[in-house]
Amino acid sequence: MTENTGVDIGVGGENSPRRSGAERVVNAPLPTVHGEFQAIGYLDHDRGDEQVALVHGELGTDDVLVRLHSECLTGDAFGSRHCECGDQLEAAMRAVVAEGSGVVVYLRGHEGRGIGLLAKLRAMALQAEGLDTVEANLALGLPVDARDYGVAAEILRDLGVRSVLLMSNNPRKREALVRHGVRVTEQVPLLIEPCESNLTYLRTKRERMDHHLPHLDAVAHGS
């Protein structure tokens, strides 16, 4: 990967060789309500997505606390209670600051587990009619999970990270990082207290997508 300290992300002339992979484009300070971060912007030449890594503190190479956060407009920006995404993003940023260093890789193009915003809203409409999140995607003729984590692995390597403490309840994220050459020393649970609006969704993630959500047991027993 090459670093470009400017912000020009235009492509070259028609005779220029086509780039591939993730290119670091810009690094800017980003003060947040959770603490100080550096927002490092990348251009994914393979998919055309613009990605960002929020870096706090001085990163080491091994056992770096990391969150791979899939873009979720409804949860991250609108505060939807249909999922726990917004709360997970905030919890991850707080955890990185509390640790003293770490990375939150915000993965654009992952909306709705990779099916896109409008398809996700269609799936949510089907869920309101009684389908679960897996059934809704399949009813639309779409994959249950279409996300790819190759660019996340590239970004971590560009940041000098060789092994991670991965904040995730999803075993497939761990498997994907390992498959792309990043060691996962430990998978750190990122458990958010469920509410009435997302309990069915979370149970489906546990029962049909193998997410590790042991905190749902108490709710299930009490309901």
Side-chain angles (χ1 to χ4, degrees):
M1 296 186 188
T2 58
E3 179 179 358
N4 175 7
T5 56
V7 295
D8 180 7
I9 58 175
V11 296
E14 59 184 39
N15 295 322
S16 300
R18 181 182 180 278
R19 291 179 175 177
S20 63
E23 177 191 8
R24 186 190 293 208
V25 174
V26 64
N27 185 347
L30 185 69
T32 77
V33 295
H34 306 297
E36 300 290 329
F37 289 84
Q38 290 292 316
I40 303 179
Y42 291 85
L43 179 61
D44 181 353
H45 288 280
D46 294 324
R47 299 174 61 91
D49 294 319
E50 297 174 348
Q51 308 288 5
V52 63
L54 300 181
V55 176
H56 177 78
E58 295 295 327
L59 299 182
T61 58
D62 295 307
D63 298 348
V64 177
L65 188 62
V66 168
R67 166 72 177 169
L68 306 183
H69 190 84
S70 295
E71 176 182 27
C72 177
L73 178 68
T74 51
D76 299 339
F78 300 152
S80 168
R81 309 309 294 169
H82 180 269
C83 63
E84 80 279 42
C85 299
D87 290 334
Q88 283 190 319
L89 177 59
E90 293 191 357
M93 293 175 69
R94 289 195 301 267
V96 162
V97 172
E99 182 70 14
S101 65
V103 185
V104 176
V105 181
Y106 193 86
L107 292 165
R108 303 191 67 203
H110 278 205
E111 187 76 57
R113 297 195 301 272
I115 64 174
L117 177 60
L118 296 183
K120 181 179 83 167
L121 293 177
R122 292 188 181 102
M124 288 170 61
L126 290 176
Q127 291 171 62
E129 296 176 2
L131 298 187
D132 68 32
T133 182
V134 170
E135 294 166 344
N137 281 34
L138 295 177
L140 292 170
L142 298 170
V144 174
D145 193 335
R147 290 173 292 182
D148 181 85
Y149 296 95
V151 70
E154 288 187 38
I155 288 171
L156 291 174
R157 281 193 291 270
D158 179 67
L159 295 171
V161 175
R162 297 185 303 193
S163 67
V164 302
L165 305 175
L166 181 64
M167 288 186 283
S168 178
N169 308 318
N170 183 356
R172 293 185 182 134
K173 283 188 181 181
R174 178 177 192 151
E175 294 164 4
L177 273 188
V178 171
R179 188 167 60 249
H180 287 291
V182 177
R183 296 196 308 274
V184 179
T185 304
E186 181 182 349
Q187 191 162 337
V188 180
L190 194 58
L191 305 177
I192 304 298
E193 183 177 354
C195 65
E196 182 178 353
S197 298
N198 64 25
L199 184 56
T200 298
Y201 172 77
L202 293 174
R203 285 174 176 165
T204 301
K205 287 173 75 172
R206 181 172 73 169
E207 294 164 7
R208 303 196 62 180
M209 302 174 69
D210 300 322
H211 286 224
H212 184 62
L213 299 168
H215 67 314
L216 297 184
D217 289 337
V219 180
H221 294 156
S223 61

